Amino acid sequence: QVQLVESGGGLVQAGESLRLSCAASGSTARILSIGWYRQAPGKQRELVAIIRGGGSTNYADSMKGRFTISRDYAKNTVYLQMNSLTPEDTAVYYCYARVPFLDVWGQGTLVTVSS
């Protein structure tokens, strides 16, 4: 099985940057895609960015140009670099991985952006 552990969340001011990390362990060779979702208070969970098989990436439109997802295969870690943060980016950020027949989620890390 695959386990995901996020880190790097915290409180920042608008305009600042933050980098989230997601460390994957277990059967990491089975990961088909890996990335980030977020859930703001009172809202549904939404895709932030994802790396698919072959290395292609997809971003939610509102994150394009501000967020960058990357993967260190040697460290089994996925990063989310977030720049120009706004209060609307406040949410719990979840690491996500798709393995055959199963979605795997981390426990989430809270990002709070103050105005």
Side-chain angles (χ1 to χ4, degrees), residues 31 39 48 71 103:
I31 293 175
Q39 188 165 18
V48 175
R71 184 176 182 180
D103 293 325

Side-chain angles (χ1 to χ4, degrees), residues 24-106:
S25 61
S27 303
T28 57
R30 303 178 70 232
I31 293 175
L32 302 174
S33 58
I34 188 167
W36 296 90
Y37 282 71
R38 72 182 186 184
Q39 188 165 18
K43 295 186 177 181
Q44 290 187 331
R45 193 171 297 190
E46 62 175 348
L47 173 69
V48 175
I50 196 163
I51 298 178
R52 304 193 184 281
S56 62
T57 58
N58 289 101
Y59 294 88
D61 287 342
S62 62
M63 288 69 157
K64 289 180 180 178
R66 296 193 301 127
F67 292 7
T68 302
I69 189 171
S70 60
R71 184 176 182 180
D72 186 328
Y73 288 87
K75 295 182 179 180
N76 286 319
T77 300
V78 175
Y79 303 98
L80 184 68
Q81 177 67 41
M82 305 186 292
N83 299 327
S84 302
L85 286 163
T86 73
E88 289 68 38
D89 295 314
T90 294
V92 178
Y93 285 72
Y94 295 92
C95 187
Y96 161 86
R98 176 68 183 179
V99 300
F101 312 111
L102 188 65
D103 293 325
V104 182
W105 295 93

